């Protein structure tokens, strides 16, 4: 059984360089809506090639029920906190200054600042408003409180849309 895997690995190792060579040498036409293939000059330029975000990302899938009719304010803030906490774990080198405010946190989630250069969320996310802020179900900006590096608390202003009143929802509590 191990021999079969070794054979597959050898076949893959032989086929991969040929496939890469063919991909960069052929004069393939670019299909409508697809990016052009990278050229040798683009590969040796050492400049980052911008990747347009046109498809749904992991964060969009995780937050698809955020502020929906099937959830409530408490479950929303817990879901958002879980997503943000996991994003901060993935971005281990992120300095707390990179997510100290709502807007900074969104930039980090969009892959635009800090150690995380991969976007985890699109700008079309239901958790964002037009100003680029994380919002609650009442469309108020979420308040971000750094507890320590990599650990934050999120606060929703609640139905009255006024922060630091009795109807606020905070996660984790306390």
């Amino acid at each position: 059984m191990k021999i079969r895997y070794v054979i597959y690995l050898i076949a893959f190792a032989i086929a991969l360089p040929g496939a890469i060579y063919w991909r960069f040498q052929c004069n393939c036409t670019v299909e409508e809506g697809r990016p052009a293939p990278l050229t040798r000059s683009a590969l040796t330029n050492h400049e980052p090639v911008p990747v347009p975000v046109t498809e749904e990302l992991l964060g969009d899938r995780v937050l698809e029920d955020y502020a929906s009719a099937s959830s409530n304010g408490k479950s929303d803030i817990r879901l958002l906190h879980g997503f943000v906490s996991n994003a901060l774990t993935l971005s281990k080198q992120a300095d707390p200054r990179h997510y100290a405010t709502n807007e900074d946190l969104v930039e980090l989630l969009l892959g635009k600042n800090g150690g995380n250069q991969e976007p985890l969320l699109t700008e079309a996310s239901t958790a964002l408003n037009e100003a680029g802020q994380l919002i609650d179900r009442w469309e108020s900006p979420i308040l971000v409180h750094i507890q320590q590096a990599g650990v934050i608390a999120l606060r929703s202003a609640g139905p009255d849309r006024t922060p630091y009143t009795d109807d606020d929802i905070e996660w984790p509590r306390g």
Side-chain angles (χ1 to χ4, degrees):
M1 187 154 189
K2 290 182 182 179
I3 294 174
R4 183 183 333 157
Y5 294 120
V6 171
I7 292 171
Y8 289 149
L9 183 61
I10 292 170
F12 179 74
I14 292 170
L16 183 62
I20 292 172
Y21 178 79
W22 177 82
R23 175 74 174 115
F24 289 111
Q25 292 300 319
C26 76
N27 289 327
C28 301
T29 59
V30 178
E31 296 176 28
E32 182 104 4
R34 294 193 61 183
L38 293 175
T39 62
R40 287 184 188 269
S41 63
L43 292 174
T44 58
N45 196 359
H46 300 294
E47 292 184 20
V49 178
V51 179
V53 179
T54 57
E55 59 191 47
E56 184 177 60
L57 295 176
L58 177 63
D60 300 318
R61 304 269 331 256
V62 169
L63 298 174
E64 68 186 357
D65 288 334
Y66 183 76
S68 68
S70 64
S71 67
N72 60 41
K74 289 181 182 179
S75 63
D76 289 344
I77 201 76
R78 288 178 66 188
L79 176 66
L80 184 61
H81 184 270
F83 169 67
V84 168
S85 295
N86 286 326
L88 292 176
T89 300
L90 288 173
S91 182
K92 292 179 183 179
Q93 67 270 33
D95 188 310
R97 292 173 293 178
H98 292 153
Y99 51 88
T101 67
N102 186 317
E103 292 82 0
D104 292 338
L105 182 57
V106 170
E107 291 290 309
L108 184 76
L109 297 174
L110 294 175
K112 295 182 179 179
N113 77 0
N116 178 21
Q117 296 303 313
E118 285 293 319
L120 300 172
L121 195 64
T122 62
E123 292 179 11
S125 171
T126 57
L128 300 177
N129 64 12
E130 297 81 28
Q133 298 171 316
L134 288 169
I135 56 171
D136 60 18
R137 68 175 37 247
W138 301 280
E139 299 182 5
S140 297
I142 297 289
L143 300 170
V144 177
H145 302 284
I146 296 177
Q147 309 215 317
Q148 62 187 30
V151 180
I152 64 170
L154 300 178
R155 177 185 290 265
S156 162
D160 71 358
R161 301 183 68 178
T162 304
Y164 303 103
T165 58
D166 290 339
D167 71 339
D168 287 9
I169 304 167
E170 185 177 13
W171 193 261
R173 294 184 201 145

